[in-house]
Structure formats: structure tokens, C-alpha cells
Amino acid sequence: MQDLLKLADLTTENILEILNLADQLKYEQRHGIEHPLLKGKTLGLIFEKPSTRTRVSFEAGFAQLGGHPLYMPGSGSQMGRGEPIRDTARVLSRYLDGIMIRTFSQEAVQELADYADIPVINGLTDYTHPCQVLADLMTIREFKGKLEGLKLCYIGDGNNMMNALIVGGLLTGMTVTVACPEGYDPHPDVQKFAADYPGKFEIHRVPIDAAKDADVVYTDVWSSMGMEEEAEKRQKAFAGYQVNAELMAVTKAGCMVQHCLPAHREEEITEEVLEAHADEIFEEAENRMHVQKAIMVLCMKDEK
Ligand code: CP
Ligand code: NVA
């Protein structure tokens, strides 16, 4: 694997290889078995949006692999003053062994990868959040023992999370249903991708229709980073799209709940549902680190 820009670039086999290695690294870390697989390597972490989980899990995970992470807030670099991405890519390639980037446009991440000679990992764009969904798949497999044949239901905005979950879910043999208001559908490219999986993907307008018999219910904030100005309008549009006890009542017995976090309690999810599923949701947050370690190893082990 050269880069991780979006899940649609991966095969099912690629995903399973990442998840298997992540399980192994999690086991080793839990049992005090050191694994300095990227000893002496340096990873740049570019953040043009805020982060808690992504920053800390990449930094801690890369240190556990024996590497040296370098935090690079966009606003503190020349990128924030307009230096072209293609120039940044060619400069950073001469210092670093890999780059993780969190930014707005997917095109910017693609340009970075096109001009960089080193692996590029997408740490979230407006379009997708592949590291998060790989951690979600790892967590679902951990709790349910499998992915294939499960029904994954996403309630809420057609944002980066919905886009990535549709692709990741379909690639791993799940049926994916989503519920969103009109005007907040998943990206057209993702709908095109899903069209190759007849009978495995549905868009609903009524949340309980999507959630019926679900094995996993997923939700995320109604206003993503960068959409703060639309918050009031979105609160109204998503008013009926809350993951609550009433919605959970139509799911399969033992249905899991996942949330990428941060969560807005009593908006997209009730405190009651979040706390009832806290063990699954915080395991999911932990798994960000394990899965990203696997991604870094698979992308960077053969570099320089
Ligand atoms: N889920 C996630 O990516 O969290 P952060 O924004 O805290 O990195
Ligand atoms: N959809 C959210 C995900 C945060 C991890 C956002 O982009 O802000």
C-alpha cells in the first residue's frame, strides 16, 4: 500500500490485511510486547482542522513503532500563508518518511500524494475519514466476530463519515442503510460506488425504516468542522434524526452503537444511548491507534 487517501482505493483484501495487523499490534501492545517496526522514521502530521483523537493516536502510535512524529499545524506553516501544496509535498518528501494530513478538500490530499515521494495518509477531509472507518470496522469485528452479512445503519448527515462508512461497509460484505433528510445525501461518487452492490445499499428518509433489524447503528455530528455557520439550519433539518431509545427499539437484539466522536449529547445521540454503549464507543476510539499503526506499517515499512 503506497498511500491511504480514500477507502475506495482499497480492496477487501487490503482492508482485512490492515484489520488483521491492527489486531496483532493491539494484542502485542496490551501484553507489553514491543514492536519498533518503523524505528528511526519520521512522520509529519499536518492539521488544518482541530483534533483530539487523530493527533494523539497518530503521535502515540508512531512513537510505539519507534518513529518520531512531528506536529505541523497548518496555520503555523507557510501552507497557512498560501505556499502551494505541490511545493510543500516536494519539500517535505526530502525530510520525512511519511505525511498524515487533515484538511478540507480531498483534492488537496490527492495533490499532496501526487507530488510527494513518500506515503500520504488521509486523517480526514470533508469527503472522507478512512482511518476512522477502518477503526470502526476493527471494532465491529471485535464485538460481533465478523463483518460479512451484518447490517450497518447510519443516521444523520451525508458527510465524510457517511461517505466512508458506505464504502467500507460494502467492501467488507455488510448491508448498509442510511437515513438522512433530503439535501443531505452521501456524495454522488459514493452513490455511484454503491450502485455496484445491488440490494446492499439503501437511502431512507425515515430513521426507523433504516434502523430496522440493524446490527450496528452509527451516527455523527449534524454540523461538521467548517460548517459552524450552518449549525442553526442543520439543527432544524436533522431534528428527527436522533439516535435514541425509540430508534434502538427497532434494531436487532444486541445491536451495537458507534460514534466517531466528539458527540453532541441530546442532538444526534441521547446521553442514555451513548452511555449504554460507552464500552463499544470508547473501544472504537482506542482502535484508532491500533489501526493507524497498522496503516503506517503497511505504507511506510519499505520506504527509504
Ligand atoms: N474521530 C476523530 O477523528 O476525532 P478527532 O477530531 O478528535 O481527531
Ligand atoms: N464529521 C465530523 C467528523 C469528526 C471526526 C467532522 O468532519 O467534523
Side-chain angles (χ1 to χ4, degrees):
M1 197 164 68
Q2 166 66 25
D3 301 304
L4 176 59
L5 308 185
K6 59 183 193 301
L7 292 175
D9 297 337
L10 302 183
T11 62
T12 304
E13 292 67 37
N14 292 148
I15 293 180
L16 296 178
E17 185 185 17
I18 294 167
L19 301 189
N20 292 342
L21 180 56
D23 284 347
Q24 184 193 326
L25 294 171
K26 181 172 184 174
Y27 176 88
E28 290 178 3
Q29 202 239 345
R30 288 263 171 101
H31 291 82
I33 303 166
E34 292 187 9
H35 38 225
L37 302 170
L38 297 177
K39 193 170 185 301
K41 301 218 185 237
T42 309
L43 176 76
L45 299 161
I46 301 172
F47 281 94
E48 296 191 308
K49 289 179 177 178
S51 168
T52 297
R53 278 146 289 271
T54 305
R55 177 182 176 183
V56 177
S57 57
F58 263 104
E59 288 205 23
F62 197 56
Q64 288 167 20
L65 292 169
H68 180 75
L70 209 88
Y71 177 57
M72 303 173 57
S75 58
S77 74
Q78 298 292 2
M79 269 178 298
R81 297 180 58 244
E83 183 168 15
I85 289 174
R86 58 191 182 280
D87 292 358
T88 305
R90 286 175 286 186
V91 171
L92 294 182
S93 294
R94 290 166 185 260
Y95 305 140
L96 304 171
D97 300 294
I99 304 170
M100 189 243 62
I101 179 165
R102 166 169 287 195
T103 189
F104 294 85
S105 88
Q106 184 69 15
E107 292 70 29
V109 175
Q110 185 64 56
E111 185 177 343
L112 186 71
D114 288 345
Y115 281 86
D117 297 331
I118 55 177
V120 172
I121 298 169
N122 182 349
L124 178 147
T125 60
D126 292 344
Y127 174 64
T128 192
H129 196 2
C131 294
Q132 178 67 55
V133 168
L134 289 165
D136 304 335
L137 295 173
M138 176 179 178
T139 313
I140 296 167
R141 195 171 74 155
E142 203 172 304
F143 278 83
K144 294 282 180 197
K146 63 174 186 178
L147 293 170
E148 200 164 350
L150 296 181
K151 176 171 172 177
L152 169 66
C153 167
Y154 179 98
I155 307 288
D157 188 20
N159 60 13
N160 42 17
M161 284 311 312
M162 189 199 278
N163 289 336
L165 281 164
I166 293 168
V167 176
L170 292 174
L171 278 172
T172 52
M174 290 196 265
T175 297
V176 184
T177 57
V178 302
C180 52
E182 220 165 301
Y184 296 92
D185 286 346
H187 193 284
D189 288 355
V190 171
Q191 295 193 49
K192 220 168 32 339
F193 179 94
D196 286 341
Y197 293 81
K200 294 280 183 188
F201 174 66
E202 291 169 6
I203 300 184
H204 292 268
R205 300 293 172 217
V206 178
I208 52 167
D209 291 347
K212 197 170 176 322
D213 294 327
D215 296 287
V216 186
V217 166
Y218 204 114
T219 191
D220 180 22
V221 292
W222 293 337
S223 298
S224 287
M225 291 180 278
M227 294 176 177
E228 288 76 10
E229 279 170 19
E230 292 177 34
E232 216 180 298
K233 180 181 116 193
R234 285 171 166 270
Q235 293 254 0
K236 289 192 188 115
F238 288 101
Y241 290 80
Q242 187 184 63
V243 173
N244 52 29
E246 199 186 327
L247 181 106
M248 292 307 294
V250 305
T251 64
K252 206 175 274 174
C255 178
M256 284 176 75
V257 174
Q258 295 277 269
H259 192 308
C260 55
L261 302 176
H264 290 174
R265 286 166 165 81
E266 307 309 331
E267 289 188 19
E268 77 274 3
I269 189 166
T270 59
E271 169 89 6
E272 184 192 9
V273 172
L274 191 151
E275 290 302 338
H277 293 270
D279 52 344
E280 297 153 6
I281 292 169
F282 291 103
E283 199 68 36
E284 174 189 14
E286 175 180 332
N287 285 342
R288 288 292 305 278
M289 183 174 78
H290 304 300
V291 100
Q292 287 159 196
K293 284 168 73 176
I295 294 163
M296 291 187 283
V297 168
L298 292 169
C299 285
M300 295 173 68
K301 68 174 187 290
D302 300 324
E303 284 294 304
K304 285 186 203 162

